[in-house]
Amino acid sequence: MQIQKFYYDNKIVKSFLYATILWGIIGFIAGLTIALLLFNPDIPELILGKNLKFSNGILGFGRLRALHTTTAIFAFIGNIIFAGSYYSLQRLLKTRMYSDFLSLLHFWGWQLFIVLSWITFLMGINTSKEYAEHEWPLDIMITLVWLIYGINMIGTILNRRVKHLYVSIWFYISTWTAMIMLHILNNLELPISLTSFKSYSIYAGVQDALIQWWYGHNAVAFILTTPILGLMYYFIPKASGKPVFSYRLSIIHFWSLIFIYIWAGPHHLIYTSLPGWAQALGTVFSIMLLAPSWGGMLNGLLTLRGSNVKKNPILKFFVVSVICYGMATFEGPLLATKTLNSIVHFTDWIVAHAHLGTLGWNGFMTFGIIYWLIEKLWNTKLFSLKLANIHFWMGTLGIVLYIMPMYFGSVKQAEILKAFKLDGTLLHKNFIDSVIALKPFYIVRFIGGSLYLIGAFIMIYNIYKTIQKGYFINNEMTEAPTLLKSSYHNKYFHNLLERKPIQMTILSLIVVAIGGIIEIIPTLVIKSNIPIIKNVKPYTPLELEGRDIYIKENCNSCHSQQIRPFRDEVVRYGEYSKAGEFIYDHPFLWGSKRTGPDLSREGGKNPSSWHYKHMLNPRSTSPNSIMPKYPWLIFNELDRSNIQNKMKTLVKLGVPYTKEEIKNAYKDMDIQSNKIVLDIYNEATEIKKEINIQKQQKGSKFIPLEKREIIALIAYLQRLGKDIKIEN
C-alpha cells in the first residue's frame, strides 16, 4: 500500500481561532452593556450627552440586543465551529481541506458578514426577526458563504483517505444541510427595490411566526447544538485520551436528535394565536427530545470517566459544558409543557434558559477547545494551568450569578403579574411593579456577566503567553496510506452509510425536512387555520411608516404583541389575540420577552402627547421605568420617499391596497399626521411652546413636528388593537 505525504492546513484553523476569541470578547461586552442598561437605562445619555438626540439611535437598546445575539451566535460560536471542524475534518479524513482558496474565502466572507451586521444593525437596518434580523443582502451573503463552507467540506470528504466517516462528521453534515434549508425558507423576503435594504417577509402573521420559530428554535439546534456535539465527539476523546463511550449510542443519538429537534419550534408559541394542533406537536416532540439529548450528554460524560479531571482544566471546561447541555435540554421539554409555559413564558426564565446553554454548554466547550488547540497548534503546553483554573472557576461562578437571578426573578415577575385581590381585581395593575421588583436581580446578573468576561480576559493573557513560548507550523506534514480500510464490517446498514457521504447528506436532509413539511404546509395552504376577521384593515401609509420605525428600533425585543387567553392578561391588556388580526403583518411582531407591557391593545389607551413624552423620557410618564430614552425619534425627519414602493411591495404579498390609496399616500399621511399633531398640542401646550422655540432657533432648518418620525410611530401605536374593537 502506497504511503503518501501531505500537509494539514493549520493556518485556516488559527484564523478562525483568533476570530472566535476576538468576537467572543466583543459579544460578551455587548451582552454586558445591555445587561447594564436594564438597571441604568440612561447610560447612552451619559456617553453622548445632548448629542443623543442627534445619534440616530446608534446606541438604541433593541439594536444593541440584536448585535449581541448575532455576535454570540454567528461570530463567537460560528467561528469556533469552523475552527474545530476544519481542524478535525483534516485529521479524521487524513487529507488537507479540499481548497485553500475556498477556506480563505469562507473565512473572510464570514468575518465581512459579521462586520456588515454590526454596521447595518447600528444604523437600524434589520427585520426584527429573532436570530434572523439581517436584511436581504446579508441573507444572500450568508447563503453564499455557507455554500462555500459546504462545498469545501464535501470536497474534503470525497478526497478522504479513510472509508469510514466518524460521528463528528455526521453532525457537521447535518448542520450544513439543515441550516441551508432553515435559513433560505425563513428569510424569503421581497425588497421594496434593488437599491434599498428594506424588505418585507413573504409570510404574514401566524404563518410568519410559525416559520420564524421553526427557524429560531432550530438555529439553536443546528448552530448551537449539533455542530457543538460534533466537536464534543472529537475533542473530548482527544483531550481525555479515551474512546467514545458508546459508538452505538452515538448513532441513536444522531438520527433521533436531528429528526425530533426540527418539530419542536412551535413550543415557543404555546397559548398564542398559532393553531392548537401545531402547538401540540411542538409540545410532544419537545418532550421526546429529552431522550436523544440526554443520550448525547451521557455519552460525553461517560467518555470522560476515569480521566484526571481534577488536574486538567481543559477537561473541567468539558465536564461543566456537557452538564450544562444536559440541564438545558432537561429544562427545554419542561418549558414546552403548558403548565410551566403559562407561568414563565415572556419572563426572564427564557433568558436564563438561553444563557445556560450559550454561556455554559457553548461557551465552556469553546474555551476547552481553544485551550486544547492552542497547545496542539503551537506544539507547547499552556503557560499557566493555574490561570486556566482561575478562568474556569470565574466562568462557573459567573454563569451561576448570571442565570440564577433570572430564574428567581422570573418567578417573582410571574407572581406579581398574575396576582389577584379577593375582590377579583389585579393586585398589581401597573406593569412597572414587576420592573421595580426585578432591578436587584438585574444587578446581580450584571455582576455574573462581569466575572464571565474577566475570566475570558484571563484566558487571552494565558493564550498570549502560551503562543510566545511555542512555535506555530502553518503546514503540518503527515502521512497516510492512499486509502485506509475501516475495521468495521459491512454487516450493518449504518456501516455502509458511514462510507457514503453523498447518501448520508441526502438522508440527513430528508430526516430534518420531514417535521418542517408536516408543520408548515398546512398552515400555509389550509385557510381555516387563520379565520378571517372582516374588520381588520391594512395599515395606513403613516402607520406603516411607524411600524417600520418600531421594527428599526427592534421594540418587539422588549414588548410583546400577543395577549394569551389568561385571566390576568385579558384584565391587564384587553381581549386575547386572534389569528385573523395579523394577516397584514409582514413580519409578525409577537415578541418573546416582556421587559415592558404588551402593546397589542395599546391603541387609544394613552393620549398621543403621552407617547411623545414617553419616547422623549420614559421616566417622565412612568416613574422607575427602565426603558431607554428615544430622543432622536423626536427630532429626526421621517423619510417618506419609499412609502409608495412599500405599499406596492405589500400588494404583491396580498395586502389589499388600492391604486388610489397608493396614489394618495402622501396626502393621507399629511392629513393623519396633522391630526395627531393637533391632538398633541391640545393635550400638552408645553410641547407646542417647545416646538415654537425650536422653530425660532432653527429657522430654515426647522422640521415641522408633523414631518418627524415620532408622529409616524405614534400613529402606529395608536392603531394597535383598534380593529377588533369596531362593532359590526
Side-chain angles (χ1 to χ4, degrees):
M1 184 177 293
Q2 182 182 0
I3 302 295
Q4 293 182 330
K5 292 185 178 181
F6 56 97
Y7 296 88
Y8 294 139
D9 181 8
N10 287 337
K11 187 177 180 180
I12 189 63
V13 179
K14 179 179 72 172
S15 296
F16 277 115
L17 198 62
Y18 282 169
T20 300
I21 297 169
L22 171 65
W23 288 116
I25 294 296
I26 294 173
F28 299 156
I29 292 173
L32 205 56
T33 300
I34 60 176
L36 176 62
L37 290 174
L38 286 173
F39 62 89
N40 197 339
D42 291 325
I43 290 294
E45 189 172 34
L46 292 176
I47 296 172
L48 297 176
K50 293 182 179 179
N51 291 322
L52 181 63
K53 63 185 179 183
F54 305 117
S55 67
N56 287 315
I58 198 168
L59 294 181
F61 182 90
R63 303 187 195 186
L64 293 177
R65 183 187 179 277
L67 279 175
H68 166 59
T69 55
T70 285
T71 306
I73 295 171
F74 296 101
F76 176 52
I77 304 304
N79 276 298
I80 196 60
I81 290 168
F82 300 137
S85 62
Y86 273 112
Y87 182 88
S88 58
L89 277 169
Q90 295 181 83
R91 285 150 182 84
L92 289 171
L93 300 172
K94 302 299 180 185
T95 186
R96 191 180 180 89
M97 291 305 298
Y98 174 67
S99 169
D100 288 4
F101 172 75
L102 289 180
S103 296
L104 286 173
L105 192 60
H106 174 206
F107 174 76
W108 288 112
W110 197 254
Q111 310 318 310
L112 179 60
F113 143 65
I114 298 165
V115 170
L116 291 177
S117 297
W118 270 76
I119 294 171
T120 53
F121 287 176
L122 289 175
M123 292 173 64
I125 300 171
N126 73 85
T127 66
S128 83
K129 297 176 72 170
E130 195 124 16
Y131 313 144
E133 293 94 343
H134 316 91
E135 268 291 5
W136 67 273
L138 286 185
D139 285 334
I140 293 173
M141 186 178 186
I142 293 170
T143 304
L144 293 176
V145 176
W146 198 253
L147 283 172
I148 290 168
Y149 172 57
I151 293 169
N152 207 14
M153 177 174 64
I154 298 298
T156 304
I157 293 172
L158 294 177
N159 284 344
R160 68 195 186 280
R161 290 183 174 87
V162 295
K163 285 186 176 180
H164 168 251
L165 298 181
Y166 181 66
V167 56
S168 293
I169 300 174
W170 314 344
F171 281 101
Y172 301 155
I173 290 172
S174 67
T175 296
W176 181 71
T177 56
M179 284 311 301
I180 281 283
M181 175 186 69
L182 291 162
H183 174 73
I184 291 176
L185 292 179
N186 182 57
N187 292 292
L188 291 175
E189 52 222 353
L190 193 59
I192 64 171
S193 75
L194 293 179
T195 58
S196 173
F197 272 93
K198 181 62 185 176
S199 69
Y200 292 108
S201 171
I202 69 167
Y203 316 106
V206 173
Q207 296 168 343
D208 193 47
L210 175 60
I211 292 172
Q212 160 58 25
W213 280 113
W214 174 71
Y215 164 87
H217 184 76
N218 290 300
V220 174
F222 291 98
I223 294 181
L224 303 181
T225 303
T226 56
I228 307 302
L229 286 168
L231 299 180
M232 179 195 80
Y233 274 115
Y234 180 82
F235 286 101
I236 284 184
K238 287 291 184 181
S240 65
K242 307 282 185 179
V244 172
F245 171 72
S246 171
Y247 204 78
R248 180 171 294 180
L249 180 57
S250 71
I251 296 173
I252 299 170
H253 173 212
F254 171 72
W255 290 108
S256 56
L257 187 79
I258 68 170
F259 173 72
I260 295 173
Y261 227 130
I262 208 80
W263 295 75
H267 80 219
H268 289 263
L269 302 169
I270 294 175
Y271 286 116
T272 68
S273 303
L274 188 73
W277 63 265
Q279 296 182 40
L281 279 177
T283 297
V284 169
F285 278 89
S286 296
I287 294 171
M288 290 169 60
L289 191 58
L290 178 63
S293 297
W294 271 50
M297 177 202 67
L298 292 173
N299 219 4
L301 287 179
L302 291 173
T303 300
L304 288 163
R305 185 179 55 178
S307 302
N308 195 354
V309 175
K310 289 184 179 180
K311 294 184 178 180
N312 190 336
I314 295 175
L315 296 183
K316 289 179 183 176
F317 279 107
F318 287 152
V319 168
V320 173
S321 170
V322 177
I323 289 173
C324 286
Y325 171 62
M327 291 168 63
T329 53
F330 176 75
E331 185 181 29
L334 292 181
L335 289 170
T337 61
K338 285 197 167 185
T339 301
L340 187 58
N341 190 279
S342 67
I343 299 170
V344 301
H345 192 62
F346 288 138
T347 73
D348 280 323
W349 189 298
I350 308 304
V351 184
H353 172 63
H355 283 81
L356 174 62
T358 308
L359 297 178
W361 161 233
N362 299 140
F364 268 36
M365 183 63 67
T366 298
F367 295 145
I369 292 170
I370 289 172
Y371 281 125
W372 193 86
L373 282 177
I374 290 295
E375 288 189 332
K376 295 300 178 182
L377 293 176
W378 274 268
N379 195 28
T380 187
K381 294 295 181 182
L382 275 180
F383 168 72
S384 171
L385 290 178
K386 182 178 180 180
L387 287 177
N389 276 308
I390 292 173
H391 175 202
F392 168 78
W393 288 111
M394 288 196 72
T396 302
L397 180 60
I399 293 171
V400 172
L401 291 179
Y402 197 94
I403 66 173
M404 293 310 293
M406 286 190 283
Y407 284 129
F408 295 137
S410 66
V411 175
K412 183 70 174 177
Q413 183 181 8
E415 181 184 22
I416 290 172
L417 294 177
K418 290 182 174 294
F420 279 87
K421 299 177 184 177
L422 292 176
D423 63 2
T425 59
L426 285 167
L427 181 61
H428 301 276
K429 186 175 181 180
N430 293 325
F431 188 91
I432 198 69
D433 292 343
S434 67
V435 174
I436 295 170
L438 288 177
K439 279 189 178 181
F441 298 101
Y442 288 148
I443 294 172
V444 178
R445 166 188 176 178
F446 177 79
I447 294 171
S450 299
L451 291 175
Y452 197 89
L453 177 62
I454 293 169
F457 278 119
I458 292 172
M459 177 192 72
I460 290 175
Y461 176 76
N462 203 4
I463 287 172
Y464 171 73
K465 299 297 288 186
T466 302
I467 290 173
Q468 275 192 325
K469 73 185 186 108
Y471 179 74
F472 182 80
I473 302 175
N474 283 333
N475 295 289
E476 181 183 337
M477 190 181 73
T478 188
E479 59 184 30
T482 52
L483 189 64
L484 293 177
K485 290 185 178 180
S486 171
S487 61
Y488 285 78
H489 301 295
N490 295 343
K491 181 179 178 181
Y492 300 108
F493 168 75
H494 208 274
N495 298 143
L496 293 171
L497 188 62
E498 290 166 17
R499 292 164 172 77
K500 299 182 181 296
I502 301 301
Q503 289 88 333
M504 177 168 277
T505 301
I506 294 171
L507 183 58
S508 66
L509 178 61
I510 293 171
V511 169
V512 298
I514 292 171
I517 291 171
I518 293 175
E519 285 182 340
I520 291 172
I521 289 181
T523 310
L524 294 177
V525 301
I526 301 175
K527 293 184 178 180
S528 61
N529 281 303
I530 307 172
I532 300 298
I533 301 175
K534 67 178 182 179
N535 288 333
V536 174
K537 306 297 181 186
Y539 298 105
T540 67
L542 189 65
E543 291 161 0
L544 179 60
E545 288 287 8
R547 189 174 195 270
D548 286 342
I549 292 171
Y550 188 93
I551 289 171
K552 179 177 72 172
E553 301 301 339
N554 220 345
C555 297
N556 56 307
S557 64
C558 288
H559 294 281
S560 61
Q561 290 186 25
Q562 181 68 207
I563 301 173
R564 299 175 296 176
F566 301 146
R567 182 183 170 210
D568 62 288
E569 295 196 16
V570 172
V571 171
R572 176 172 282 107
Y573 302 120
E575 181 70 11
Y576 69 88
S577 300
K578 315 293 194 301
E581 291 183 65
F582 308 101
I583 57 175
Y584 302 130
D585 285 8
H586 300 265
F588 84 109
L589 295 175
W590 294 359
S592 57
K593 172 74 171 66
R594 284 178 181 155
T595 309
D598 187 276
L599 299 181
S600 297
R601 306 285 178 251
E602 182 61 31
K605 279 191 173 182
N606 293 293
S608 294
S609 59
W610 184 93
H611 288 291
Y612 181 100
K613 295 174 184 178
H614 188 65
M615 299 306 292
L616 183 62
N617 180 8
R619 276 150 296 288
S620 69
T621 56
S622 305
N624 296 308
S625 169
I626 60 171
M627 177 177 162
K629 299 175 182 178
Y630 287 82
W632 57 90
L633 298 179
I634 306 294
F635 294 92
N636 280 358
E637 183 175 6
L638 176 65
D639 181 4
R640 301 182 172 197
S641 60
N642 287 315
I643 184 58
Q644 290 180 325
N645 282 339
K646 290 179 178 181
M647 295 173 75
K648 290 175 182 177
T649 302
L650 288 170
V651 168
K652 295 176 183 177
L653 298 176
V655 180
Y657 290 120
T658 65
K659 291 182 179 180
E660 192 70 16
E661 287 173 327
I662 296 173
K663 180 181 177 181
N664 294 328
Y666 294 106
K667 179 182 177 181
D668 292 342
M669 291 176 77
D670 288 337
I671 293 172
Q672 189 173 9
S673 60
N674 287 333
K675 173 66 169 59
I676 293 172
V677 170
L678 183 61
D679 289 341
I680 291 173
Y681 287 165
N682 288 335
E683 295 159 3
T685 55
E686 69 274 16
I687 295 177
K688 185 176 182 179
K689 290 178 182 178
E690 174 61 29
I691 297 300
N692 286 333
I693 292 172
Q694 292 177 18
K695 185 176 182 179
Q696 294 174 0
Q697 293 175 341
K698 294 288 185 179
S700 60
K701 294 183 179 180
F702 173 73
I703 302 170
L705 182 56
E706 58 268 20
K707 300 292 185 182
R708 301 185 192 182
E709 288 183 335
I710 184 63
I711 302 303
L713 180 60
I714 291 173
Y716 172 65
L717 293 173
Q718 293 289 34
R719 171 66 183 277
L720 290 175
K722 279 194 171 181
D723 284 2
I724 68 165
K725 294 179 183 178
I726 300 174
E727 297 295 333
N728 293 327

